[in-house]
Amino acid sequence: DAGVTQSPTHLIKTRGQHVTLRCSPISGHKSVSWYQQVLGQGPQFIFQYYEKEERGRGNFPDRFSARQFPNYSSELNVNALLLGDSALYLCASSLGIAGYPNEQFFGPGTRLTVL
Amino acid sequence: AQTVTQSQPEMSVQEAETVTLSCTYDTSENNYYLFWYKQPPSRQMILVIRQEAYKQQNATENRFSVNFQKAAKSFSLKISDSQLGDTAMYFCASPAGIYKYIFGTGTRLKVLA
């Protein structure tokens, strides 16, 4: 079975632009979580979606939004990009809501560079 | 606030030797998993080992084992017979509420030939 997939692999944008990142979970998984990993730091939780509804949100501004589709894939959208949004964006999927007893499986990430 | 602390930013170990990476955490959950993830330069976050909090027995996966001290909220990772391929960033993760995990700042491990 394929693991979590993310697209694109790399992305370069300029300040003020908008970006959409995509994630396909492992087949059968209904939950997707998004994390931001700034260089040299651990991942920071952004969102969790389960059954197409937002179930959790981290401490990120409203410029960040996401949605989950009927096939459980997900998009992360970031508006009005800032230099500080440059990071690796990780997607993780789990069978149910991420938390005990469901573990998360991570994708390879999308590297976003904002110039 | 729920936190995860990894107090060793960088460590090095000679090939074939043993190294221990430390992690302390704080969570209000009763039943939970704790995780150690490995992130090599390829950046893929790979699960190394997990520990169920209600199990007293420490988890073991081949050369990787944990020392889980629930009362002390300590969760260290021991790597035995270190290999060059173990060179990576290692992150400890614990739950912060139902819907998310929080990660430590990571320990950069370098295995020396």
Side-chain angles (χ1 to χ4, degrees):
Chain A
D1 280 342
V4 179
T5 59
Q6 293 186 242
S7 63
T9 305
H10 296 90
L11 204 50
I12 299 175
K13 292 285 188 179
T14 57
R15 281 177 295 176
Q17 285 190 312
H18 164 271
V19 69
T20 297
L21 310 180
R22 294 177 176 83
C23 171
S24 291
I26 292 171
S27 178
H29 285 194
K30 298 182 177 180
S31 175
V32 168
S33 297
W34 287 95
Y35 292 83
Q36 180 196 65
Q37 187 180 17
V38 173
L39 192 63
Q41 297 183 19
Q44 298 288 317
F45 173 77
I46 309 175
F47 286 111
Q48 181 180 158
Y49 275 77
Y50 175 69
E51 288 285 14
K52 301 173 284 278
E53 292 187 7
E54 182 184 306
R55 298 304 181 113
R57 184 183 183 114
N59 188 24
F60 280 80
D62 291 344
R63 299 185 296 108
F64 289 77
S65 64
R67 55 180 175 169
Q68 187 177 32
F69 299 99
N71 66 354
Y72 301 108
S73 67
S74 178
E75 285 183 352
L76 175 69
N77 296 283
V78 187
N79 293 324
L81 285 167
L82 304 174
L83 294 178
D85 295 332
S86 295
L88 179 68
Y89 288 84
L90 295 165
C91 173
S93 78
S94 56
L95 273 171
I97 291 177
Y100 188 85
N102 298 303
E103 65 175 278
Q104 298 180 95
F105 297 84
F106 284 85
T110 293
R111 171 72 67 189
L112 172 65
T113 301
V114 181
L115 302 176
Chain B
Q2 292 163 318
T3 58
V4 176
T5 302
Q6 293 180 251
S7 58
Q8 304 151 314
E10 292 188 7
M11 295 190 73
S12 61
V13 62
Q14 288 294 135
E15 197 174 8
E17 292 188 349
T18 296
V19 64
T20 299
L21 281 56
S22 65
C23 172
T24 57
Y25 66 95
D26 185 17
T27 182
S28 56
E29 301 301 308
N30 291 320
N31 293 321
Y32 52 91
Y33 285 132
L34 295 166
F35 300 97
W36 277 98
Y37 285 93
K38 169 185 177 181
Q39 189 176 42
S42 66
R43 80 194 185 202
Q44 176 84 48
M45 194 74 77
I46 302 165
L47 178 66
V48 174
I49 196 167
R50 72 177 187 186
Q51 172 77 41
E52 294 186 66
Y54 72 88
K55 287 188 176 179
Q56 293 189 347
Q57 185 175 5
N58 288 327
T60 300
E61 288 285 345
N62 301 314
R63 298 182 296 107
F64 299 88
S65 62
V66 300
N67 182 6
F68 175 49
Q69 303 288 333
K70 189 173 182 180
K73 295 188 174 178
S74 170
F75 180 57
S76 61
L77 174 69
K78 185 171 82 171
I79 306 174
S80 304
D81 186 24
S82 297
Q83 300 175 359
L84 296 178
D86 296 333
T87 293
M89 285 290 291
Y90 286 82
F91 293 97
C92 174
S94 86
I98 298 173
Y99 304 119
K100 67 178 183 180
Y101 279 86
I102 55 174
F103 289 76
T105 51
T107 296
R108 184 178 303 279
L109 177 66
K110 187 170 184 179
V111 180
L112 307 172

